[in-house]
Amino acid sequence: MAITSGLFRTKSVEQSIRDTDEPDSKLRKDLTARDLTIFGVAVVIGAGIFTLTARTAGTVAGPAVSLAFVFAAIACGLTALCYAEFASTVPVAGSAYTFAYATFGELIAWIIGWDLILEFALAVSVVAKGWSQYLGEVLGGTLTPIAHIGSIQFDWGAVLIIAIVGTLLATGTKLSSRVSAIAVAIKLIVIALVLIVGITYFKASNLSPYIPPSQPSAKADGVHQSLFAWLTGSGGTSFGWFGLLSAASLVFFAFVGFDVVATTAEETRNPQRDVPRGIFGSLAIVTVLYVAVSLVLTGMVSYKDLQSGNATLATAFAIHGATWVKNIISIGALAGLSTVVMVMFLGQTRVLFAMSRDGLLPRGLAHTGKNGTPIRLTVIVGSICAVLAAFVDFGTLEEMVNIGTLVAFVLVSIGVPILRRTRPDLKRGFRVPLVPFVPILAALACFWLMLNLSLETWLRFIIWMVLGAIVYFAYGRTHSALGRRAAPAEEPAVSPVR
């Protein structure tokens, strides 16, 4: 029985499923396991495979960057088990937000929803700017995607990709999946070509020492150091085992987005079967690709040749004189980033859609059009992200995406044993093995990655959460659909005795 009063009132799984049948806010069920796997690969394989691997190898982990990807993948894999159980049990839009509403209650659900808004909005805007940069490289300098309006820079390339993606998502999720499939095919072909060419320059001696000796990090002071370094007073280090663990927190950004697959559960024909398959299939594919690329990269050149801080996969090929590969990498990155923007955009609208349908945000935003998509939300999200991408220089704000994702991962992991205990009767299309051991291990792994994020990132995150609390108590709590359904039943208990 759901708790229907106070800050921790829970929304029953049955009520969440009934809400999906409201005619005015009904999403179309078009997606299959194949579509979900494509979405997962589409959002996870972006420009990070071409840039993040080289930068992390050169400045933080050395050749052990491939092991850092494995550590990050293990944390994601443990969490993926928890997401798969929730998504197969509560096949409703909203992902971690919806799961939290059924387990922790409304306040925690709002916190996760507000957290995901930050994650997806920043991800869409940051990745759109990256797409624009690669567009400039593909155009070969003949046309720049940056326009100058007085002293203001306007990134029209970023606005262009957000507008294209928004139009596709408003037209229909199935069409978006087909476009993603084409883009995914392009970037997988590019990655395969890079691996084939790169392995011809491979030297095993470049992988030694696999874990280089530790040394002080350039970001060892003030708010730039990790929370773990600040708490222990140890100072930041690069390379060595601590550098390797820190690298795992950084390359975790490369995996951000696989959880978006869970947000599409409501639009999946057979969510109990297909959502787990989509999550695990996409995660397995991208982990193999990341490890393969990082091994080839660090085998091509010494990690010391990648220490500039701006090194990319193209840098390794340039050292060997194969500069022609740079153009191929730019095309692959352009295709890769297009799909990342699309799927992150999709995740943002579906979380906001679920929160609006629950009344925590204006319910009118949950209206769906004739194509079964939330057009109003798509326009609003697209407009906000376009403005951010066009005019804001994000800098270190990219780490905010990581902390937002990890907080959601921790709470979803903890939620599995809670829902097992409170609702053992629910039909679960997928069950996490070894509960509560696996969920607890998943939560601890994600929390460790959070500790290795910078103190600056934590402070910004706390400010965002405080702002979210203000919005909830000013609007969400009083407009909650769950609270209003409970209100008539509560009135007799508080009326005076005559």
Side-chain angles (χ1 to χ4, degrees):
M1 188 71 178
I3 300 172
T4 55
S5 62
L7 298 177
F8 299 99
R9 53 196 174 205
T10 58
K11 184 179 180 182
S12 70
V13 173
E14 291 82 0
Q15 183 61 53
S16 293
I17 294 174
R18 282 196 296 270
D19 287 347
T20 65
D21 291 327
E22 294 181 6
D24 190 51
S25 56
K26 188 177 180 66
L27 297 172
R28 182 176 296 173
K29 294 182 179 294
D30 282 334
L31 303 179
T32 64
R34 176 179 174 274
D35 296 319
L36 299 186
T37 302
I38 289 172
F39 272 142
V41 175
V43 69
V44 178
I45 296 291
I49 199 168
F50 304 116
T51 58
L52 190 61
T53 48
R55 190 165 64 242
T56 306
T59 61
V60 184
V65 65
S66 55
L67 186 56
F69 274 112
V70 172
F71 286 168
I74 290 172
C76 288
L78 292 170
T79 311
L81 293 170
C82 301
Y83 266 90
E85 175 165 328
F86 263 122
S88 66
T89 308
V90 194
V92 177
S95 187
Y97 158 78
T98 301
F99 307 155
Y101 217 155
T103 51
F104 299 105
E106 185 171 283
L107 179 60
I108 303 301
W110 167 268
I111 290 173
I112 289 189
W114 187 252
D115 165 51
L116 291 176
I117 290 172
L118 172 71
E119 172 196 341
F120 290 134
L122 284 179
V124 171
S125 304
V126 168
V127 177
K129 290 186 78 69
W131 186 91
S132 180
Q133 292 175 351
Y134 278 103
L135 176 64
E137 293 189 14
V138 170
L139 294 175
T142 58
L143 180 64
T144 174
I146 305 293
H148 295 273
I149 306 173
S151 60
I152 300 174
Q153 288 189 339
F154 175 72
D155 193 335
W156 61 263
V159 174
L160 175 64
I161 185 59
I162 291 174
I164 293 172
V165 164
T167 302
L168 287 171
L169 290 175
T171 303
T173 310
K174 189 65 176 181
L175 176 62
S176 304
S177 175
R178 290 170 180 164
V179 173
S180 291
I182 296 172
V184 166
I186 293 173
K187 61 184 172 183
L188 290 182
I189 291 172
V190 170
I191 291 171
L193 180 61
V194 166
L195 288 173
I196 292 170
V197 175
I199 206 166
T200 61
Y201 301 109
F202 187 90
K203 290 183 179 180
S205 58
N206 287 327
L207 298 179
S208 181
Y210 186 66
I211 302 179
S214 63
Q215 61 186 54
S217 171
K219 290 187 176 182
D221 299 323
V223 295
H224 299 297
Q225 64 184 316
S226 71
L227 179 61
F228 177 78
W230 180 74
L231 289 173
T232 60
S234 61
T237 60
S238 294
F239 308 112
W241 279 101
F242 281 110
L244 172 59
L245 294 173
S246 179
S249 296
L250 294 175
V251 301
F252 176 81
F253 182 80
F255 290 94
V256 167
F258 84 85
D259 54 312
V260 177
V261 173
T263 70
T264 62
E266 191 174 327
E267 298 163 87
T268 304
R269 295 173 186 170
N270 188 345
Q272 284 77 15
R273 181 196 66 190
D274 293 343
V275 173
R277 289 182 179 180
I279 291 175
F280 296 133
S282 57
L283 191 57
I285 291 170
V286 300
T287 299
V288 170
L289 290 176
Y290 278 138
V291 172
V293 169
S294 58
L295 281 173
V296 169
L297 168 68
T298 51
M300 287 176 63
V301 296
S302 167
Y303 73 93
K304 295 179 181 179
D305 294 328
L306 304 172
Q307 291 183 339
S308 67
N310 296 314
T312 67
L313 192 57
T315 304
F317 284 97
I319 290 173
H320 289 285
T323 54
W324 58 273
V325 178
K326 179 180 179 181
N327 295 329
I328 295 176
I329 290 175
S330 295
I331 294 172
L334 204 60
L337 290 176
S338 299
T339 57
V340 175
V341 174
M342 177 180 292
V343 184
M344 286 296 189
F345 196 144
L346 173 69
Q348 175 73 290
T349 57
R350 294 319 184 254
V351 170
L352 286 170
F353 171 81
M355 296 175 73
S356 301
R357 188 165 58 187
D358 289 333
L360 301 183
L361 293 173
R363 285 180 62 84
L365 297 177
H367 174 75
T368 53
K370 63 180 181 179
N371 294 322
T373 58
I375 296 178
R376 293 175 185 172
L377 273 175
T378 302
V379 172
I380 292 172
V381 169
S383 300
I384 293 173
C385 290
V387 170
L388 289 174
F391 298 106
V392 177
D393 183 12
F394 288 93
T396 57
L397 284 180
E398 293 179 12
E399 280 194 19
M400 294 289 287
V401 179
N402 283 17
I403 195 169
T405 304
L406 286 166
V407 168
F409 282 9
V410 168
L411 290 173
V412 167
S413 299
I414 296 172
V416 167
I418 291 177
L419 195 63
R420 285 274 191 100
R421 188 184 72 250
T422 58
R423 293 299 308 274
D425 57 304
L426 290 174
K427 179 183 178 182
R428 291 167 168 83
F430 175 86
R431 297 178 70 89
V432 177
L434 303 176
V435 172
F437 175 73
V438 169
I440 291 174
L441 189 60
L444 289 175
C446 292
F447 185 68
W448 169 254
L449 294 177
M450 290 171 64
L451 287 177
N452 284 279
L453 294 174
S454 70
L455 187 60
E456 180 181 26
T457 298
W458 276 90
L459 293 173
R460 288 170 174 165
F461 181 72
I462 291 171
I463 292 172
W464 176 256
M465 287 294 105
V466 170
L467 179 61
I470 294 172
V471 174
Y472 172 72
F473 285 105
Y475 182 89
R477 187 183 182 191
T478 55
H479 290 79
S480 166
L482 183 61
R484 292 190 171 189
R485 276 194 291 266
E490 295 173 359
E491 286 176 4
V494 297
S495 61
V497 177
R498 294 184 181 271

